[in-house]
């Protein structure tokens, strides 16, 4: 049943009232593909560390629309021409930029689908919606893909200082309480301009850009790469991997129809037809949580323990170091576990493993954040900044982690 009164204004805890500008965008938001984002956590399992981090991809997408409206007002005021068609296309592209995320956001890309990232699935959703909306999303898709001839429009959607980053840093900072990410997105947008069809930041916005880059780096270490979030996501990836293995062996597991479809089939980019997309659109966090609650009581030692660890937040111990852990350390932990529970080396590898995490706040080669000086010169922010830290932010910092059970004697 269609609602009689159209909700055109939403109240957001970050920006206050967000206005939905027209009927078509409202109808996209109303579509089941988009409503599903209400059931996809923006920060995966980070709520196991930051209890407030229960906000969703739905929140984030609407926040991005609000910032995009602000950016277009600023640019038009400075004489940048943006037609009504381009305006709508920019709002649709930013609204749908994350529509391809699966349950718990990133864990899905490494387990249920094989090497298909959320950007690819977002594009498939946009193309599917385009056929349902009488090809009215064609320009939005061009901008999203970066094939439209006005480069700055794609930069507003996807670059090193796009509307996506300006919203998620501020939003994630708000919901986690980690104030380091509380950037001044409104001021950054006010400083935007366009020169030679590329996005630039006016010189007086340089300190806001510095704070944005440093805030992003700190949010990565403190929140996104927090060791507890990291181990929880690794456990989730292993839960889905183990469930797939057991089903391949012919074991019976309970799960929703949509989750079972991805557990029973090997899905790569070539398999993503409209049936697969439809099944994907029915998947959300609830399918996975519900399955894990059931699998906690599985006869399989690996699956039941992995699920119990996530559901009851009884996670593995994590050590993060500058150097990769030695093979001997891993083997020692693995052998102790095999002996204690009489399990195989392969089963123990689900609980004892290592990996690496990398933090790069600013990539020098890709879509630089350019500063526009009063004399018209344009330079990369790193060259202009007197903030010594910014140079350091262009280096990738890699750390290594090792996970193993808290074995009680």
């Amino acid at each position: 049943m269609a609602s009689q009164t159209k909700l055109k204004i939403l109240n957001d805890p970050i920006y206050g009232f967000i206005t939905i500008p027209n009927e078509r965008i409202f109808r996209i938001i109303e579509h089941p593909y988009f409503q599903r984002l209400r059931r996809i956590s923006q920060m995966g399992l980070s709520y196991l560390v930051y209890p407030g981090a229960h906000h969703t991809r739905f929140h984030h997408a609407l926040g991005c629309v609000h910032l995009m409206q602000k950016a277009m007002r600023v640019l038009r005021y400075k004489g940048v021409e943006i037609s009504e068609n381009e305006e709508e296309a920019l709002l649709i592209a930013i609204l749908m930029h994350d529509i391809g995320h699966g349950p718990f956001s990133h864990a899905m890309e490494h387990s249920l689908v094989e090497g298909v990232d959320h950007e690819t699935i977002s594009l498939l959703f946009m193309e599917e919606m385009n056929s349902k909306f009488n090809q009215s999303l064609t320009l939005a898709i061009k901008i999203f893909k970066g094939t439209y001839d006005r480069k700055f429009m794609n930069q507003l959607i996807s670059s090193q200082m796009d509307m996506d980053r300006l919203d998620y840093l501020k939003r994630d900072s708000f919901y986690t309480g980690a104030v380091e990410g509380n950037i001044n997105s409104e001021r950054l947008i006010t400083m935007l301009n366009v020169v030679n069809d590329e996005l630039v930041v006016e010189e007086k916005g340089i300190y806001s850009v510095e704070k944005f880059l440093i805030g992003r780096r700190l949010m990565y270490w403190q929140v996104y790469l927090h060791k507890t979030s990291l181990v929880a996501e690794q456990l989730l990836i292993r839960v889905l991997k183990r469930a797939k293995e057991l089903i391949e062996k012919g074991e019976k597991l309970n799960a929703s129809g949509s989750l079972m479809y991805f557990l029973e089939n090997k899905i790569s980019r070539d398999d993503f037809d409209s049936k697969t997309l439809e099944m994907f659109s029915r998947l959300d966090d609830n399918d996975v949580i519900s399955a894990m609650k059931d699998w906690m009581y599985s006869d399989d030692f690996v699956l039941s323990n992995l699920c119990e660890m996530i559901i009851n937040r009884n996670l593995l111990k994590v050590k993060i170091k500058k150097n990769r852990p030695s093979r001997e350390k891993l083997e020692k932990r693995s052998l102790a576990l095999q002996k204690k529970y009489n399990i195989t080396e392969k089963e123990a590898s689900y609980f004892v493993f290592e990996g690496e995490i990398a933090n790069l706040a600013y990539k020098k080669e890709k879509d630089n954040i350019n500063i526009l000086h009063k004399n018209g010169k344009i330079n990369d922010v790193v060259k202009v900044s007197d903030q010594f830290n910014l140079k350091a932010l262009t280096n990738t910092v890699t750390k290594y982690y090792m996970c193993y059970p808290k074995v009680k004697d």
Side-chain angles (χ1 to χ4, degrees):
M1 258 177 71
S3 55
Q4 292 305 305
T5 54
K6 296 291 186 193
L7 177 70
K8 289 289 169 74
I9 292 177
L10 295 154
N11 201 345
D12 180 71
I14 316 278
Y15 311 119
F17 290 112
I18 293 177
T19 310
I20 297 166
N22 67 36
E23 193 67 22
R24 184 175 288 120
I25 288 169
F26 182 79
R27 281 174 49 227
I28 291 170
I29 292 169
E30 274 198 322
H31 194 281
Y33 286 172
F34 193 83
Q35 286 294 317
R36 164 184 159 274
L37 296 183
R38 290 181 184 273
R39 304 184 299 279
I40 303 282
S41 150
Q42 168 76 8
M43 290 180 62
L45 288 159
S46 291
Y47 60 78
L48 294 175
V49 185
Y50 297 99
H54 275 286
H55 55 305
T56 64
R57 292 272 156 196
F58 185 86
H59 274 132
H60 165 59
L62 292 173
C64 290
V65 166
H66 173 75
L67 294 184
M68 185 64 84
Q69 287 172 310
K70 209 171 191 59
M72 287 190 289
R73 272 199 301 277
V74 165
L75 293 176
R76 278 176 169 157
Y77 177 75
K78 292 176 183 177
V80 180
E81 281 188 29
I82 299 170
S83 71
E84 279 189 23
N85 284 346
E86 287 169 335
E87 175 184 353
E88 185 182 79
L90 276 166
L91 292 172
I92 291 171
I94 197 69
L95 179 71
M96 298 180 75
H97 78 283
D98 267 350
I99 201 169
H101 269 293
F104 296 104
S105 292
H106 292 281
M108 180 86 180
E109 293 169 36
H110 306 289
S111 44
L112 291 183
V113 289
E114 313 212 342
V116 190
D117 58 32
H118 70 272
E119 288 92 351
T120 303
I121 302 172
S122 290
L123 192 55
L124 292 170
F125 270 125
M126 287 170 89
E127 283 162 354
E128 185 73 17
M129 293 274 272
N130 199 20
S131 60
K132 293 179 179 182
F133 279 76
N134 199 18
Q135 303 303 311
S136 58
L137 277 61
T138 305
L139 182 55
I141 291 170
K142 270 189 177 173
I143 292 172
F144 181 80
K145 283 161 75 174
T147 56
Y148 189 53
D149 58 7
R150 304 191 75 188
K151 187 182 176 188
F152 80 90
M153 292 193 172
N154 176 260
Q155 289 176 317
L156 287 167
I157 309 284
S158 175
S159 65
Q160 297 210 68
M161 209 181 81
D162 53 28
M163 298 306 108
D164 172 37
R165 289 183 184 186
L166 291 184
D167 181 79
Y168 79 63
L169 283 174
K170 198 168 175 64
R171 189 168 298 278
D172 296 349
S173 161
F174 176 87
Y175 280 96
T176 57
V179 295
E180 287 76 10
N182 187 13
I183 54 158
N184 193 342
S185 47
E186 317 252 332
R187 176 165 169 81
L188 281 163
I189 288 171
T190 308
M191 296 296 130
L192 290 178
N193 210 329
V194 173
V195 177
N196 300 330
D197 224 40
E198 295 211 10
L199 216 51
V200 292
V201 180
E202 289 164 0
E203 189 177 5
K204 57 191 172 197
I206 187 161
Y207 301 118
S208 302
V209 175
E210 287 177 356
K211 184 174 186 303
F212 161 75
L213 290 173
I214 291 164
R216 187 165 182 265
R217 178 182 177 275
L218 294 174
M219 282 293 281
Y220 265 84
W221 284 134
Q222 196 171 320
V223 177
Y224 307 128
L225 297 174
H226 188 289
K227 63 179 189 174
T228 308
S229 307
L230 175 80
V231 74
E233 184 166 298
Q234 287 299 322
L235 287 171
L236 181 55
I237 290 166
R238 283 163 171 73
V239 161
L240 297 168
K241 184 182 162 198
R242 183 61 172 179
K244 269 190 151 181
E245 270 178 20
L246 295 173
I247 286 166
E248 270 170 32
K249 285 186 196 163
E251 294 201 24
K252 282 265 177 279
L253 286 181
N254 289 329
S256 68
S258 44
L259 181 55
M260 196 53 83
Y261 176 84
F262 287 92
L263 293 173
E264 287 175 340
N265 298 291
K266 271 196 165 67
I267 306 289
S268 65
R269 172 64 188 88
D270 299 337
D271 306 310
F272 242 96
D273 53 17
S274 33
K275 185 201 172 182
T276 304
L277 193 67
E278 182 55 41
M279 293 308 280
F280 189 88
S281 77
R282 297 180 203 172
L283 264 185
D284 58 52
D285 293 7
N286 300 324
D287 296 82
V288 177
I289 289 278
S290 167
M292 287 195 296
K293 281 167 69 182
D294 195 72
W295 298 345
M296 273 167 73
Y297 305 101
S298 160
D299 294 335
D300 181 68
F301 176 88
V302 173
L303 187 64
S304 62
N305 277 285
L306 290 174
C307 291
E308 190 275 334
M309 285 175 172
I310 297 174
I311 295 292
N312 294 330
R313 199 191 179 278
N314 178 24
L315 305 167
L316 297 173
K317 201 165 174 53
V318 199
K319 282 203 171 144
I320 295 183
K321 298 276 173 72
K322 284 184 178 167
N323 299 314
R324 197 181 281 283
S326 67
R327 172 147 276 157
E328 294 79 51
K329 270 187 182 170
L330 282 160
E331 278 175 5
K332 189 181 165 192
R333 296 275 179 199
S334 175
L335 284 167
L337 199 64
Q338 290 170 51
K339 195 174 164 190
K340 184 173 168 70
Y341 294 107
N342 193 23
I343 56 174
T344 65
E345 186 184 344
K346 189 187 175 201
E347 287 170 326
S349 71
Y350 277 95
F351 304 98
V352 179
F353 52 87
E354 51 104 22
E356 63 181 61
I357 46 176
N359 188 354
L360 175 61
Y362 183 62
K363 282 184 190 159
K364 273 179 89 172
E365 306 78 44
K366 181 188 176 270
D367 265 331
N368 297 2
I369 299 176
N370 286 321
I371 303 295
L372 171 66
H373 298 274
K374 288 190 179 75
N375 63 6
K377 273 193 174 171
I378 292 174
N379 289 108
D380 184 298
V381 65
V382 174
K383 285 191 178 139
V384 182
S385 172
D386 55 9
Q387 165 69 275
F388 175 69
N389 285 358
L390 279 207
K391 274 199 178 62
L393 296 188
T394 61
N395 301 323
T396 302
V397 179
T398 305
K399 293 183 184 180
Y400 301 91
Y401 63 86
M402 174 171 149
C403 303
Y404 54 90
K406 304 162 186 168
V407 179
K408 297 182 184 78
D409 296 322

